[in-house]
Amino acid sequence: MRGMKIRAEVDGVTREFPSGLSVLEALRSIGIELPTLCDDQRLEPAGQCWACSVDIADAPGAAFRTRPSCREPLRDGSSIRSANGALDAFRHGLLGQLAARVEPDEQERFPDKALHRLLREHGIAGSAPASPPMSIDTSHPYIRVDMSRCIACSRCVRICEEVQGESIWHVFGRGPDLRIAPQGEVPLGASGCVGCGACVDTCPTAALTDAGAWREPIARSWTRTTCAYCAVGCELQVGVTDDRIVAVRPALDGPSNRGHACVKGRYAHGYVDAEDRITTPMLRRDGQWQRVGWDEAETATVAKLRAILAAHGPQAVGVLGSARGTNEEAFLTQKFARLVLGTNNVDCCARVCHMPSAAALKRVLGTGAATNSFDDIEQTRCFLVVGANPLANHPVVGARIRQQVRAGARLVVVDPRRTPLAEIADVHLALRAGTNVPLLNALAHVLVLEDRVDHAFLAARVDELDEFVAFIREWTPERAASICGVAAADIRNAARIYAQQAPAMCVHGLGLTEHVQGTEGVMALINLALLTGNLGRAGAGVNPLRGQNNVQGVAVMGCEPDSLTGGAGLNDARPRFEARWGAPVPAQPGLNVLGMMDAARAGHLKALYVIGFDVLASLANMQETAAALAQIELVIVQDLFLNDTAREFGHIFLPAVTSFEKDGTFMNSERRIQRIRRAVMPRGQARDDATILVRLAAAFGHGTQFPSADPEQVWDEVRELWPAGAGISYARIEHGGIQWPCRDESHPGTSILHVERFAHGPRATLRRIDYRPTAETVDADHPFLLSTGRDLHQFNVGTMTGRTAQNRLRPTDTLDMHPQDAAALDLRDGQDLRVTSRHGTVVLPLRISHCIEPGQLFTTFHDPARAVNRLTGPTRDTITSAPEYKVTAVRVEGMPVHAE
């Protein structure tokens, strides 16, 4: 067992080591570095290359034998010789042979490749000739393949299998005929490669390299930061030369990603220097955008806002914060809205995704955030994945879930589509879109009626069990099956798997939240965890997978109308914040983003300040959003690009910077506060959101309340006002993030919530949630149910990925339809279809897929030119107002197919 001590002799010196180490790990721990070519800390040891071989005697007096140190366990009483004449000669000879696979220019271009580095350290020059172009595979936009450089270490095969889980690379043949290639020996671009780059990262030669590395210079400096895409919080190393990003790699010790990344985080950073990026302030005059200086832009912004405030009051102004910004910027955003503009009309895009999760978790358990950590994935025995497609939308976490399932964990997937995880699930409940509540109630019915509950946990920590049992008796699997379109037997089987395999972890996404009963759906899921005692323990919990890098943080920082920083209730916390700020916090309730659109349509909202949020493209019911924005007298857009909102309705444009151009912190899905760091300088005249807000506040005469835009100083103010984050200082997160709650600097952070009590008290209450069907139902004119969502290769409305080579991997949105429905309508794959809902019409190319059930459709919303939100309607979650993106009744008509 690790933790015990053993003694071993190394090069004549007796030393003490923790048990459980390999010989290679033990030698590294005392500063002895051996050459390795097939070793990678992310992989199980293989011992194929023998470069790390040492002489080992297992016991005193035993004979020494030469063995690979990577796969040899360190034994008590053993003796190790790490170097001698014979070993040195063997290593030198091995490297000399492998030098025939290394071309000298490649050795210079890729100095960090393991074989190249070892050759340099041993004074050996590569001797391979340049590869002929026909031998190089450039079919993938990000990965260049030249197998004439392969040394058959199999690291690419193993990392694709053991970490990503795609099993793209395979070994063919034996001996001199051995070769490594994608399955079917097809070009990489024609394989199922997801572009994570792990094979490139691990390859010790130039066999697999980043395609961009052949166009860019070698990185001269590396900066550690956190990914700006989903909220997994992958920590990255960003390589820079001449103030340009030339490479990105996963940080090997990243707590959330463990040395892994997805295709977007690793490769999709070209938007930083996109040709259409706006880096100069602009004012719209006579219908035309004109570039101006910052002084003029700030003067115009302040003057126009003051005029509207004077004429209509603070309730006529709204502010929207950005989930792409930092915690510090989000804090300043809501502070600006409240102190400078005098309004609680402040919100963010969390409203349209996981606000139902936060609301349900807070109401039932007391804290509106994930109960557990990503490291619990490897401790669970069962996953219940509801309305989430992690392998596409949270790829690094999705890969970890898949690996744990392959290691023996059970898996139940609740999703209308046959997602990649559904394909390996023990049970896939392919329910009709919009019927989450009946299904979850039926699962609870089985748990209760079959007595598969944790009686001790219920007695100690749960209220209203009797009332819940009486309610849930009526929700039989047969009743739910008739509503959801799944077999009652499958519902029973799923419930039994979840109950029997403890600990069990619930993971959910927007397929649970973006419904008329989104918040109540999450409450129904929490019921299952309460019934089975799957809270407050490792490997369990209820864990929303947040969609954007800081969507959790922007809400926690106070960018919502009814809460201040830390989720503090507006009425209760106002005195504390007023005392710290030395200024009044408005008492009048504010509007969320949907309420702002309603107010704008009614002529009440006169000004909207939008930061990093393309409202027009993102909100459901696009026509009504456009009608609302058209009524607003002043629309200020602060962003990287002239997005749809700015292009159609903007009056002032303030150029912002990317996360690569500023410092601060993000908050990921598991409540981890992580540093981001500036890797390149701001482009043109662009400024970070904090600087813009602080300068505007000063121009309004509030400089005293906004003394600094320095991120650490702003964060220290956050810590003063947010007790749960008080112990998280910049100094403490310099080398790794910390999870809140963390109330003082001696606290290590909290990986698991609700261990002994819930945040609001010792007991939680089971919620009795009845089913209320959506108004979006099929009829003769609209016979299909459409859901919308994301794809692996694009992100949200394409603001960032749409300006990168991701477009080669996912050029546009498609309409996914089951072959049975396509045949019935005589439609062909790739054919353009006119899709019409009760709210609007779009044109989408057809993709025939067995991953969708008959009668249901799916599309993504990444391509602004497709404007998929013209289809979605006005229905909202009744508690948080989150739009119902997941259920829209539509009809489909084939458009003429023109002969080529």
Side-chain angles (χ1 to χ4, degrees):
M1 293 177 61
R2 285 186 184 266
M4 296 178 61
K5 296 291 184 181
I6 63 174
R7 296 169 68 85
E9 182 184 275
V10 178
D11 296 332
V13 179
T14 300
R15 296 178 179 270
E16 195 173 72
F17 298 93
S19 63
L21 298 179
S22 69
V23 171
L24 179 62
E25 290 172 327
L27 294 178
R28 283 175 173 168
S29 73
I30 59 173
I32 298 176
E33 288 293 335
L34 300 179
T36 60
L37 290 170
C38 68
D39 178 67
D40 186 313
Q41 70 182 52
R42 296 165 290 185
L43 305 176
E44 291 296 316
Q48 291 179 223
C49 71
W50 283 70
C52 69
S53 293
V54 296
D55 291 340
I56 304 175
D58 290 334
F64 280 90
R65 294 183 298 161
T66 302
R67 283 172 278 182
S69 62
C70 62
R71 69 182 186 194
E72 193 69 23
L74 183 68
R75 295 179 174 88
D76 193 41
S78 61
S79 297
I80 301 159
R81 295 173 183 167
S82 67
N84 55 43
L87 287 171
D88 292 344
F90 168 75
R91 293 165 183 161
H92 194 85
L94 174 64
L95 294 172
Q97 293 177 30
L98 295 177
R101 295 282 185 169
V102 178
E103 195 265 337
D105 287 345
E106 295 171 356
Q107 192 173 352
E108 294 298 317
R109 181 179 291 275
F110 302 102
D112 294 335
K113 289 285 190 178
L115 178 56
H116 299 178
R117 176 177 49 78
L118 289 171
L119 292 177
R120 185 171 64 251
E121 291 172 357
H122 285 76
I124 302 173
S127 57
S131 299
M134 64 181 299
S135 71
I136 301 171
D137 176 6
T138 59
S139 60
H140 196 282
Y142 295 126
I143 300 173
R144 180 184 187 270
V145 182
D146 180 3
M147 282 303 170
S148 70
R149 305 295 182 238
C150 178
I151 61 171
C153 68
S154 298
R155 281 167 69 168
C156 59
V157 177
R158 290 184 290 134
I159 205 164
C160 195
E161 172 66 23
E162 295 177 26
V163 175
Q164 178 56 35
E166 296 294 338
S167 304
I168 298 299
W169 295 105
H170 294 266
V171 178
F172 298 92
R174 301 181 65 182
D177 296 326
L178 186 147
R179 62 199 181 278
I180 293 175
Q183 181 67 36
E185 300 194 67
V186 299
L188 185 62
S191 72
C193 174
V194 296
C196 69
C199 58
V200 173
D201 211 38
T202 196
C203 179
T205 73
L208 296 170
T209 55
D210 289 336
W214 296 85
R215 302 185 297 270
E216 301 286 359
I218 298 169
R220 295 177 186 167
S221 64
W222 292 89
T223 301
R224 184 167 179 142
T225 191
T226 304
C227 183
Y229 281 104
C230 80
V232 170
C234 295
E235 296 198 14
L236 307 172
Q237 295 284 354
V238 180
V240 173
T241 295
D242 297 331
D243 201 37
R244 292 182 59 251
I245 298 172
V246 297
V248 174
R249 300 172 183 168
L252 291 178
D253 59 347
S256 304
N257 55 316
R258 296 180 170 185
H260 196 31
C262 79
V263 62
K264 297 186 290 290
R266 183 178 179 111
Y267 294 115
H269 49 77
Y271 62 90
V272 174
D273 290 304
E275 292 183 357
D276 64 335
R277 184 163 169 200
I278 308 298
T279 60
T280 305
M282 297 193 300
L283 302 178
R284 197 194 291 269
R285 290 168 172 154
D286 299 324
Q288 301 296 316
W289 285 107
Q290 296 181 8
R291 295 184 178 186
V292 298
W294 271 106
D295 288 346
E296 186 174 356
E298 289 170 347
T299 299
T301 299
V302 173
K304 291 178 181 293
L305 284 172
R306 274 183 167 153
I308 289 172
L309 289 168
H312 305 285
Q315 283 300 101
V317 179
V319 179
L320 298 176
S322 175
R324 288 186 279 134
T326 65
N327 290 313
E328 295 79 4
E329 291 169 330
F331 176 79
L332 291 173
T333 297
Q334 59 86 31
K335 185 178 177 182
F336 181 89
R338 290 178 163 118
L339 296 194
V340 177
L341 302 180
T343 183
N344 286 312
N345 293 345
V346 59
D347 206 13
C348 62
C349 68
R351 180 68 47 190
V352 303
C353 56
H354 269 295
M355 195 63 76
S357 295
L361 286 161
K362 187 171 184 177
R363 290 187 180 199
V364 181
L365 305 179
T367 298
T371 64
N372 287 62
S373 305
F374 292 142
D375 280 350
D376 286 273
I377 289 170
E378 285 74 27
Q379 300 183 64
T380 194
R381 294 182 61 198
C382 176
F383 296 99
L384 174 57
V385 179
V386 182
N389 185 7
L391 281 165
N393 300 330
H394 304 83
V396 170
V397 162
R400 290 176 66 175
I401 292 173
R402 177 164 57 189
Q403 296 295 4
Q404 184 66 2
V405 171
R406 289 179 174 178
R410 306 295 295 276
L411 174 62
V412 175
V413 172
V414 178
D415 201 292
R417 294 189 298 149
R418 189 171 178 81
T419 63
L421 283 183
E423 291 179 357
I424 62 170
D426 294 283
V427 179
H428 173 210
L429 300 174
L431 75 174
R432 292 191 187 99
T435 62
N436 291 317
V437 168
L439 181 62
L440 294 170
N441 280 348
L443 292 172
H445 172 96
V446 177
L447 298 179
V448 170
L449 271 293
E450 294 187 2
D451 194 22
R452 299 179 184 274
V453 299
D454 186 328
H455 290 283
F457 186 88
L458 289 170
R461 303 188 61 181
V462 178
D463 285 332
E464 299 190 16
L465 175 62
D466 291 343
E467 295 88 340
F468 183 80
V469 169
F471 163 78
I472 211 68
R473 284 184 185 278
E474 305 301 320
W475 277 106
T476 64
E478 287 73 19
R479 179 185 176 189
S482 66
I483 299 170
C484 305
V486 297
D490 288 341
I491 296 174
R492 287 191 169 87
N493 191 20
R496 292 163 185 163
I497 290 172
Y498 176 72
Q500 291 169 351
Q501 305 297 321
M505 174 184 286
C506 296
V507 174
H508 71 273
L510 304 187
L512 182 60
T513 64
E514 291 180 340
H515 293 276
V516 67
Q517 283 190 284
T519 304
E520 292 174 309
V522 179
M523 290 179 180
L525 182 65
I526 298 169
N527 283 341
L528 304 182
L530 288 170
L531 288 168
T532 55
N534 275 300
L535 286 166
R537 60 188 298 192
V542 178
N543 301 285
L545 293 177
R546 307 301 294 256
Q548 291 199 64
N549 56 299
N550 202 37
V551 70
Q552 172 93 29
V554 67
V556 172
M557 290 301 104
C559 283
E560 50 185 26
D562 52 0
S563 298
L564 293 165
T565 304
L570 184 64
N571 292 332
D572 294 337
R574 276 178 56 234
R576 179 161 55 88
F577 281 73
E578 289 175 340
R580 172 60 179 82
W581 289 340
V585 173
Q588 186 170 351
L591 301 172
N592 62 42
V593 60
L594 284 307
M596 292 181 205
M597 293 302 103
D598 295 341
R601 277 191 297 274
H604 302 314
L605 192 80
K606 302 296 183 180
L608 184 65
Y609 184 0
V610 189
I611 303 173
F613 183 1
D614 192 348
V615 180
L616 178 60
S618 301
L619 293 186
N621 205 12
M622 181 180 280
Q623 293 88 327
E624 290 301 308
T625 303
L629 291 170
Q631 295 296 312
I632 301 177
E633 295 177 13
L634 175 64
V635 176
I636 304 163
V637 175
Q638 190 164 299
D639 216 311
L640 309 176
F641 302 97
L642 201 66
N643 58 30
D644 286 355
T645 303
R647 186 179 300 109
E648 298 295 327
F649 301 107
H651 302 96
I652 297 175
F653 186 92
L654 305 178
V657 302
T658 69
S659 65
F660 294 107
E661 301 163 83
K662 60 187 174 186
D663 292 300
T665 61
F666 290 157
M667 182 189 301
N668 77 346
S669 273
E670 57 176 352
R671 298 172 280 105
R672 188 181 300 277
I673 307 295
Q674 299 169 281
R675 280 298 312 276
I676 69 160
R677 297 173 179 87
R678 176 185 288 175
V680 295
M681 296 301 293
R683 298 321 195 210
Q685 297 181 44
R687 292 175 175 171
D688 60 81
D689 296 339
T691 297
I692 296 171
L693 288 162
V694 167
R695 287 177 60 91
L696 288 175
F700 266 99
H702 286 266
T704 303
Q705 284 86 32
F706 292 77
S708 175
D710 176 77
E712 185 171 6
Q713 292 184 35
V714 176
W715 181 251
D716 284 342
E717 183 179 341
V718 172
R719 294 169 61 204
E720 290 182 50
L721 291 165
W722 181 32
I728 306 176
S729 66
Y730 265 42
R732 292 191 69 200
I733 60 174
E734 179 61 28
H735 302 292
I738 295 176
Q739 293 167 273
W740 61 269
C742 178
R743 296 184 180 275
D744 61 65
E745 294 197 36
S746 66
H747 195 284
T750 306
S751 59
I752 302 172
L753 297 180
H754 319 307
V755 173
E756 297 179 352
R757 57 183 285 123
F758 301 107
H760 55 31
R763 303 177 69 83
T765 302
L766 290 161
R767 300 303 175 109
R768 302 184 292 280
I769 309 296
D770 226 333
Y771 174 52
R772 289 178 289 103
T774 174
E776 282 288 337
T777 55
V778 297
D779 58 22
D781 289 333
H782 304 91
F784 293 97
L785 280 182
L786 171 72
S787 291
T788 65
R790 293 198 330 218
D791 176 83
L792 168 65
H793 293 297
Q794 294 286 357
F795 189 71
N796 290 353
V797 295
T799 302
M800 298 188 295
T801 50
R803 292 168 170 87
T804 71
Q806 295 297 116
N807 288 336
R808 286 180 55 187
L809 299 171
R810 175 75 174 178
T812 190
D813 300 316
T814 61
L815 185 74
D816 293 358
M817 177 183 285
H818 192 274
Q820 175 182 312
D821 292 329
L825 295 173
D826 193 24
L827 301 175
R828 305 181 197 174
D829 196 62
Q831 180 180 355
D832 278 344
L833 306 181
R834 182 179 291 107
V835 185
T836 303
S837 72
R838 298 180 180 100
H839 319 288
T841 298
V842 302
V843 174
L844 292 166
L846 174 64
R847 184 171 69 174
I848 297 175
S849 172
H850 286 278
C851 294
I852 197 78
E853 293 292 306
Q856 303 199 64
L857 306 170
F858 176 82
T859 187
T860 53
F861 51 82
H862 305 306
D863 188 349
R866 300 288 179 182
V868 165
N869 276 321
R870 286 199 292 254
L871 296 174
T872 50
T875 307
R876 303 171 186 171
D877 173 44
T878 53
I879 294 174
T880 66
S881 298
E884 188 176 51
Y885 294 99
K886 301 303 181 187
V887 189
T888 304
V890 299
R891 66 173 177 269
V892 175
E893 302 163 278
M895 299 181 70
V897 179
H898 301 288
E900 295 185 1

